[in-house]
Structures are given as C-alpha cells and as structure tokens.
Amino acid sequence: MCNLICPSMHKAERDSIEALIQVLDIDNNRNYYCLLAAANSLSRFPSLRSLFTSEPASRPDPTPANITQSIPLPVPVHAMDMSDAVIVNSSRLKSIVWNDFDRVKKGDTFVAICRHCKKKLSGSSTSGTSHLRNHLIRCQRRSNNGVAQYFSAKEKKKEGSLALVTIDQEQKKDEVLSIVNLRYEQEQIKNEHVGMGTNSLDQRRSQFDLARMIILHNYPLAMVEHAGFKIFVRNLQPLFELVTCNKVEADCMEIYVKEKQKVYEIFDKLPGKISVSADMWTASDGAAAYLSLAAHYIDEDWQLKKKILNYVTIDPSYTVDMHSEVIMNCLMDWDIDRKLFSMIFDSFTSDNIVDRIRDRLSQNRFLYCNGQLFDVRCAVDLLNCMAHDALEALCELTQKIRESIRYVKGSEATHATFSELADEVQVETKKCLCIDNPLKWNSTYFMLEVALEYRKAFSCLRDRDPVNMKFILSELEWDRLSTITSFLKLFVEVTNVFTRSKYPTANIFFPEICDIHLQLIEWCKNPDKYICSLALKMRKKFEEYWDKCNVGLAVAAMLDPRFKMKLLEYYYPQIYGDSASVVIDEVFECIKSLYNEHSIVSPLASSIDQGLDWEASGIPSSAKDSRDRLMGFDKFLHETSQAEGSNSDIDKYLEEPLFPRNADFNVLNWWKVHTPRYPILSMMARNILGIPISKVASESRFDIGGRVLDHNWSSLLPTTIQALMCAQDWIRSELES
C-alpha cells in the first residue's frame, strides 16, 4: 500500500485509497493495475483516478482544495457497525463462493461476511467475486473440505431461526462467548445429497451414522432433542436436518434389521456347530429382568466369534416350561436349533429348564452323544460362588480389618505411629492399606492380603493403644484369615487365566479346574473345623459343576496337541485314585463316539460313500464314465489304501508326539494348519473348542451380582431394547474385526 500512497497526499485522500483497498481486499503485494482498474470503475473518485492515469510530473498537488467536499468518503467495510444489518437472500447469487459468505445489507451498502473468519468484504454486485475467491484462498480458518458447496436440491426454501454459537478463535480468555440469533436459509433436501467440495453431505447417511453412534456408546435416544446437541450440530453442519427421538429410534430399528440379516447369512454358511450361552440381566432400577442369548462359534477362518442373538424381557412369574419355551422360540427364530452343540447356563439355572430344552432337541436327533455335552455351566460363575462363600465366612473378620484400617488412616499421627511400628517389626511390603469396594470381591481379597502383610504392625499398635484397637484380630482369627485368603488368591488367579482372552478356547480350562479340585480335597483335610466346613461347602458346589462338565473339559484338553490324553493320565490318578483308569476309559469312549458321529456328517465320508456306490450298483456315475479305463485302478487304490491306512484321524493324532508347550501357542491356528491331515477330527475340534466354558465378560468377572442394563435404555420398549443391545454387539464386533 505504501507504493500507492504519496507522502504529500492529504489525509482524506489517503483514507479513500485505504477504504478502496479494503473494499477490494487487496494487500500490499497486489498488482498496481488491479487498483487502477478499480479506480476507473468508480467515477465518484475523480481525484483518485487522475492520480493513477496522469504522469507523475503532471499530477496535481493533493491539497484540501482539490478534494470535493460534497462527495462523502467511503467508510471502511471492516469498520462498519453491523448491528442492524440484514442478511440478503437472492436467487441471483449464482457463484459458488457465496456458500462461504453471508451477503448483508447495511443501508445502501452490501457487505460479504466470511462464514469462517467473519471478515467483512465488499458485497456489491459491481465488485464481482474475485476478491471473495482470493480471500478464501488465504483464509486460515476455512476448513479444508473444499472451496465450493454445490447445492443440488431445487425444492422450495424455507426460513427458520436458530441460535448459533459464534466463537472467535482470537477472543481472549476473559471475553464472554455470546449467542447471536442469525437467520439462515434451510434447504428442503429431497434427493438427500449436498456437495461440499470433493466430499458430500448425505442426509440419510448422516442420520444412520448418528443412530450407530447412539447404539455403539449407549447414548440415550433423547439426546437428539437436547438443546446443547442441536446447537452443536447446527454449528458443525447447518445443512443437516435434525431428527426427533422417534425418528432416531426408527433408524436404530432399521439398522438392527439390516445387521440381523448379515448374522443370518453368517450362520447359514458356518462350517461347524453353534454353542449358545444364556445370561440374566436386570434393569438399573430392578424393575425388570432380561434374558440374553449369545451364539459362540468358530468361523471358516478358525476365529472364535460371539454374536448376541436375543435380549428378551423375562417375567418373574414365568414357570420352568415358559422359560424353556422362550429359549426354544429364540433358537427356532434364528433357525439354529438343528445347529446347536451345547448351551451354557449360570450355575444357579434350574436343571429342569435345561432338561426340557435338551429333550426337545434330542427328539429330532440334533445333539451329539445324546446330549451328554449339551449342559455346560459357567466356570467363572462357579469361582464367584465359591469366593462368595469364603467372604461370607470372613464377614466378621473383614469388618474388623476395615475398622482397623479406618483407624490407622483416620489421623496423620496414628498413621505415622503405625508406619514407625511397621519399620520396627521389619514389614517388607511397600503396599498401602486401603478400604475395599464391596461390589468387587477381588478388591476385598487385595485389602485382606495387604492387611496380612501388616499383621505384626497391627498387633504392636494394639499393645500400644488397646482402647482404640479393641477390634483388632486375635492370633486364631489372623490364622483363619490367612488360610481363607489363600483360597481367594487361587480363585483370583484362575479367574484371570479364564478371562485373559476375550474369547478363551475350551482347552485352557481343564488343568485350572483340576488344580482347584485337588486344592479343595486338601482344604477339606484341615484340622480347623471352621476351615473344613467352609471347604466342604465349596467342594459340594464344585462337584455339582464337575459332574456336568468334566467330560467336555477332558475332550477339549485332549484336542490340545500339547496335552492329548496325557493330561488326563496326569490329573485323574490324583483325583480318582485307583479308579482313574476306569474314568479315563469312559472319557475315551465318549471321544470315539463323538468322532464317529462327526465322521458320518463329514464331507470326506460322503465322498467315500459316493465313490463306493458305483461298485455296489454297477451304474456308472458322472465321475465314473463307462469309457474311463482307470475305473479298475480306482477300485485297487481304495482297497489298498484301506488295508494300508486303517488308522483313523484320532489314532494318527494320538500316536504322534506332543507339540512343545510355549506361551505363544494358538490351538485354533494349529487346527487350521492341520485340517487337511485330520479332516474329521478338525470338525470335532471346531465344535468342542468353540464351547464357551466361561461366558462372563472380563470387565465384570469379579462383580458381586448380575449384569445391569444401563438406565438410558431400560425405560424403552422391550423390542427397542433388544434391537439396541443386539445391534451394539454386532457393530462392535464388526469394528474389532
């Protein structure tokens, strides 16, 4: 600008040039002739025009007398007061740059306000749009989605008003953000597409994205009607047409239907069987109960998968028959009753419900081994039940420990004294005393474990302050606490093993369950009747579980190439003593029966049967054409292969040496690689290893109490709750994969 303004100019004339430059948004580096052309187009600035058209020697001296006082000087656009300005809507604004500017009228002057940085430029029709386009190129606050917005909708326009929060990035921290009412044009979009540069706004797609977000993150459906959400969306994308709560609910239902069809197609193509787990939930207010059914299976890529099938409301007044009927209806609705291998229930589920479902499926001969492996109970539920028994036995002692910790941490002086005593008795632990969370039984275990390490310090504090430490434990109580805490330690460790993987395979459970079995046998031998009675109570629950599940656990362990039958031969003599060989034989008979049933439905078996049909009937098949001179060779090959290779898959598998044990071993990958070598046994492995011996999610493995439905959804209709819960599981699974 300094190159265009002479030092001898009068201030008024310099202001005129500055105003003109502001109007055209021309910076110091713009071409001189751009300003010259603009000055020529404005006839009311003759002095400015002569300034640039005359030779420098002949230019008149700019004095106050040369300035025509009757012509008002233009007010710089950026300095205009826009308080009473009105947004002008005109169909004549065809240029795409107007998608980034608001055209405002102030008196007789038109101003273009950048929607990104709020800069004011000339909006006059005589100014053109080049300066607006140039500004967009330099505008730092403009998004990178493109210069243009191409409006393809041609429907009628309607006006509305909305509170838009305008936030200037250059505002100081102490400035108050203001909500300014602006008028805007809203396109009624019927073809659902609004282009924005190279990207596009798809109204319907955006609505589904919103519904998916609500499903994925447990958001309340009513959030779409919250004022803050509406303001956020309008500021983010004013062209998006906000939806109502009913509309987003309908979108969620539509997503559920589409995703359900995908799950149908997955089940239809599955190479193996499906195991189904049943889990009970309650509403956050306790007013309703829900039954969740989930399918567990190993897909064609040998990946263990889980899909929630149903989430239905259960009335407390339902009888056993009604419960079993609800489950059967869900299975038949998914058309997986004939594909069912086993069902996994809570440890407290009535046996009558399980028996009715098993009998119903056995009538159609859908189950292997006459349903012997059908009823599976959750291993983590068993551990939680036994941990609850242990904590119940420690109830009084646990309360005394809590009171002792509260007293120690109640004042700085007491805490300092306790720390000194801990140093004197040489307590080695650096862990801090803490109060447990009664809703997580593992936190109670950790509290007791730390308290035991400070046992000597607590005893010294009692001797020093017997009045306030009257609730401290006696030596016998400390001993009992130590023994029962060791029970809890084992339960915590095994639970962590079971839930270490999101989808644990069935082969990992057998050795851990056997260890618990052996420990319970030892605990029952404790001379302290208090400890012995607790161990007997836990052992009774364990044996109920063991009777139902030990065969399935043993078969899964046999299908681990690191163990095979050797793991049974190691543990069963310790558990059963002299009768171990009988039990091992019973398990192996079940394995052979299971193998034979899989061989019947094996594609390999079918192909062998078809190959023998031609010999029995004498009728040539399409593959055995009468002109095929090698038919005799096929017969010879079949006879010699049967004579030489009479061993079955299972015989070959058990004869081979054990696979080395290592931490990175993946049993599903092993069977994927060895499927060609063991085609029938791999089918059996796919069905057995897919049984979810534990169905408890890792985040709730130590919870005291059942699963609780979030309050955001518990007040909705039962059909909507089922759609949201199922769709959430399916979408999350898709994102993870």
Side-chain angles (χ1 to χ4, degrees):
M1 185 186 297
C2 5
N3 296 331
L4 302 176
I5 301 177
C6 300
S8 59
M9 283 183 181
H10 189 271
K11 181 179 183 301
E13 194 163 11
R14 288 199 300 270
D15 290 344
S16 299
I17 294 178
E18 292 174 358
L20 182 58
I21 291 173
Q22 186 62 249
V23 167
L24 298 177
D25 191 35
I26 299 175
D27 59 24
N28 297 340
N29 297 324
R30 301 300 295 169
N31 196 304
Y32 167 85
Y33 294 101
C34 294
L35 186 58
L36 173 61
N40 285 333
S41 67
L42 300 177
S43 58
R44 62 174 177 165
F45 296 114
S47 59
L48 298 179
R49 180 175 180 178
S50 61
L51 175 64
F52 298 107
T53 55
S54 304
E55 293 297 326
S58 61
R59 289 179 185 172
D61 293 334
T63 62
N66 298 122
I67 305 301
T68 307
Q69 298 298 327
S70 60
I71 300 177
L73 295 174
V75 179
V77 175
H78 70 278
M80 285 185 176
D81 181 11
M82 309 303 294
S83 58
D84 57 346
V86 178
I87 295 179
V88 178
N89 298 321
S90 174
S91 59
R92 296 178 59 191
L93 302 177
K94 301 296 185 181
S95 176
I96 58 176
V97 299
W98 288 109
N99 296 329
D100 291 275
F101 289 90
D102 288 318
R103 192 166 184 252
V104 179
K105 186 176 182 182
K106 168 71 172 180
D108 295 331
T109 305
F110 290 91
V111 179
I113 303 177
C114 177
R115 293 179 179 176
H116 307 291
C117 66
K118 307 305 178 185
K119 188 169 184 178
K120 304 178 187 68
L121 308 171
S122 173
S124 172
S125 58
T126 60
S127 301
T129 58
S130 297
H131 64 296
L132 302 181
R133 187 175 288 103
N134 292 335
H135 170 75
L136 288 178
I137 295 173
R138 297 193 303 274
C139 183
Q140 296 181 355
R141 298 184 192 173
R142 177 174 163 272
S143 65
N144 295 324
N145 290 332
V147 174
Q149 292 179 353
Y150 299 93
F151 289 83
S152 60
K154 297 182 179 179
E155 296 79 32
K156 293 182 179 180
K157 300 176 181 179
K158 62 180 181 179
E159 289 188 351
S161 60
L162 178 71
L164 295 178
V165 178
T166 59
I167 303 177
D168 188 348
Q169 292 182 357
E170 296 178 356
Q171 283 177 320
K172 297 180 180 179
K173 293 183 179 179
D174 58 344
E175 290 180 340
V176 180
L177 300 181
S178 60
I179 298 179
V180 183
N181 289 324
L182 298 178
R183 300 170 63 197
Y184 70 98
E185 279 187 353
Q186 183 184 32
E187 290 283 353
Q188 184 67 29
I189 304 170
K190 293 184 179 178
N191 61 357
E192 303 178 350
H193 289 281
V194 177
M196 183 177 288
T198 57
N199 298 329
S200 63
L201 170 66
D202 185 333
Q203 174 70 22
R204 195 76 183 118
R205 168 72 177 273
S206 298
Q207 288 179 203
F208 279 126
D209 287 342
L210 175 60
R212 284 190 181 91
M213 179 189 73
I214 290 174
I215 292 171
L216 194 59
H217 301 291
N218 279 98
Y219 294 148
L221 298 183
M223 71 171 288
V224 297
E225 297 180 351
H226 294 171
F229 178 78
K230 290 182 177 181
I231 292 173
F232 168 74
V233 171
R234 283 304 188 196
N235 283 337
L236 182 67
Q237 178 49 268
L239 299 175
F240 177 73
E241 185 178 351
L242 290 167
V243 295
T244 63
C245 183
N246 291 336
K247 177 58 180 173
V248 78
E249 182 177 355
D251 290 340
C252 291
M253 295 299 295
E254 188 172 344
I255 291 172
Y256 165 72
V257 172
K258 291 180 180 178
E259 295 295 328
K260 185 176 182 179
Q261 183 59 36
K262 294 180 185 178
V263 179
Y264 268 125
E265 294 171 359
I266 291 173
F267 289 164
D268 188 54
K269 299 176 182 178
L270 274 184
K273 293 284 187 175
I274 297 173
S275 294
V276 174
S277 62
D279 203 6
M280 293 301 299
W281 290 57
T282 57
S284 56
D285 56 0
Y290 307 93
L291 173 67
S292 172
L293 296 179
H296 306 257
Y297 58 92
I298 296 176
D299 64 12
E300 62 277 6
D301 293 325
W302 284 89
Q303 298 292 320
L304 188 57
K305 300 291 185 180
K306 172 191 172 187
K307 300 284 186 185
I308 291 182
L309 303 177
N310 296 92
Y311 198 88
V312 294
T313 304
I314 296 295
D315 194 296
S317 62
Y318 278 6
T319 62
V320 169
D321 289 334
M322 295 172 73
H323 271 281
S324 59
E325 191 65 26
V326 168
I327 294 175
M328 281 302 305
N329 288 338
C330 292
L331 297 177
M332 290 187 292
D333 175 62
W334 282 97
D335 194 25
I336 60 172
D337 50 327
R338 66 190 63 200
K339 294 183 178 181
L340 202 61
F341 188 83
S342 64
M343 285 199 70
I344 299 85
F345 299 92
D346 296 315
S347 56
F348 49 81
T349 301
S350 170
D351 289 341
N352 294 330
I353 296 177
V354 180
D355 292 339
R356 279 168 171 74
I357 298 173
R358 176 166 43 201
D359 293 343
R360 180 91 169 266
L361 295 172
S362 296
Q363 290 175 0
N364 299 319
R365 298 182 178 179
F366 290 155
L367 300 178
Y368 284 101
C369 295
N370 296 320
Q372 184 178 357
L373 304 178
F374 175 74
D375 183 10
V376 180
R377 299 304 168 108
C378 178
V380 174
D381 275 348
L382 169 68
L383 295 175
N384 285 339
C385 288
M386 293 193 295
H388 177 75
D389 291 341
L391 291 175
E392 191 176 56
L394 289 175
C395 183
E396 293 183 6
L397 305 184
T398 302
Q399 189 58 34
K400 289 183 177 181
I401 292 294
R402 290 194 187 104
E403 294 298 329
S404 300
I405 295 174
R406 288 193 182 100
Y407 174 70
V408 169
K409 298 174 72 71
S411 67
E412 293 184 4
T414 306
H415 190 269
T417 301
F418 185 80
S419 299
E420 292 175 1
L421 293 174
D423 293 336
E424 289 179 7
V425 296
Q426 298 180 347
V427 174
E428 297 180 356
T429 183
K430 300 299 181 183
K431 299 176 183 178
C432 297
L433 294 171
C434 59
I435 301 295
D436 65 325
N437 176 7
L439 300 179
K440 296 278 189 180
W441 66 265
N442 66 319
S443 74
T444 303
Y445 157 70
F446 290 131
M447 178 188 73
L448 299 177
E449 182 186 43
V450 175
L452 281 167
E453 296 186 38
Y454 285 98
R455 174 177 176 174
K456 294 181 180 179
F458 276 116
S459 299
C460 292
L461 186 62
R462 180 189 57 188
D463 296 339
R464 180 172 296 189
D465 190 1
V467 176
N468 293 314
M469 290 295 291
K470 58 185 178 182
F471 39 74
I472 200 63
L473 275 61
S474 64
E475 291 302 317
L476 176 61
E477 289 174 328
W478 278 114
D479 292 340
R480 289 177 175 175
L481 178 65
S482 178
T483 301
I484 298 177
T485 301
S486 68
F487 298 175
L488 292 174
K489 180 180 181 180
L490 177 62
F491 298 155
V492 168
E493 291 173 348
V494 174
T495 301
N496 286 330
V497 171
F498 289 170
T499 57
R500 185 164 47 203
S501 171
K502 186 172 184 180
Y503 301 122
T505 48
N507 59 300
I508 69 170
F509 291 83
F510 182 76
E512 303 293 340
I513 294 295
C514 286
D515 281 338
I516 291 177
H517 199 165
L518 295 174
Q519 287 296 327
L520 285 169
I521 294 173
E522 291 298 318
W523 295 343
C524 291
K525 299 176 183 178
N526 194 294
D528 188 341
K529 293 183 179 180
Y530 184 81
I531 302 296
C532 183
S533 62
L534 171 62
L536 289 172
K537 182 179 180 180
M538 292 190 294
R539 185 176 178 180
K540 181 181 179 181
K541 291 183 178 180
F542 179 87
E543 288 179 346
E544 291 175 359
Y545 171 86
W546 181 258
D547 291 342
K548 289 183 173 68
C549 303
N550 78 91
V551 175
L553 292 169
V555 175
M558 186 277 298
L559 290 169
D560 190 326
R562 300 170 299 173
F563 304 134
K564 299 184 181 180
M565 294 297 293
K566 295 298 182 181
L567 205 59
L568 278 70
E569 296 169 2
Y570 170 73
Y571 276 112
Y572 277 13
Q574 300 179 62
I575 296 173
Y576 294 106
D578 296 337
S579 59
S581 59
V582 177
V583 181
I584 292 175
D585 290 341
E586 291 175 355
V587 172
F588 192 68
E589 285 300 317
C590 178
I591 292 172
K592 290 194 294 185
S593 174
L594 195 60
Y595 175 83
N596 291 334
E597 291 185 52
H598 278 83
S599 66
I600 294 173
V601 298
S602 168
L604 180 64
S606 301
S607 64
I608 293 174
D609 293 341
Q610 291 173 3
L612 296 177
D613 285 344
W614 69 272
E615 180 184 6
S617 62
I619 301 175
S621 65
S622 58
K624 299 286 188 298
D625 191 83
S626 58
R627 292 172 295 179
D628 186 359
R629 294 185 176 86
L630 293 178
M631 289 174 59
F633 172 74
D634 291 335
K635 182 179 180 180
F636 166 78
L637 186 64
H638 177 71
E639 291 174 351
T640 55
S641 62
Q642 276 204 328
E644 294 174 359
S646 58
N647 286 351
S648 64
D649 281 4
I650 194 168
D651 293 328
K652 290 187 293 184
Y653 172 76
L654 294 176
E655 288 172 0
E656 292 183 353
L658 299 181
F659 191 82
R661 287 196 301 125
N662 59 75
D664 298 330
F665 178 76
N666 187 317
V667 68
L668 297 183
N669 284 344
W670 191 93
W671 280 106
K672 180 179 180 179
V673 171
H674 289 81
T675 295
R677 180 167 178 79
Y678 311 111
I680 298 175
L681 194 61
S682 65
M683 290 178 55
M684 180 173 154
R686 187 190 297 272
N687 295 332
I688 292 290
L689 296 177
I691 299 175
I693 306 298
S694 169
K695 61 182 179 58
V696 177
S698 59
E699 63 271 11
S700 57
R701 62 189 183 275
F702 297 113
D703 287 358
I704 295 178
R707 306 290 297 276
V708 179
L709 179 63
D710 189 87
H711 69 279
N712 289 333
W713 290 356
S714 58
S715 60
L716 301 173
L717 294 174
T719 53
T720 304
I721 295 175
Q722 174 170 262
L724 293 174
M725 293 296 293
C726 292
Q728 181 186 76
D729 177 75
W730 301 336
I731 293 173
R732 285 180 176 177
S733 298
E734 187 175 352
L735 291 175
E736 290 172 359
S737 60

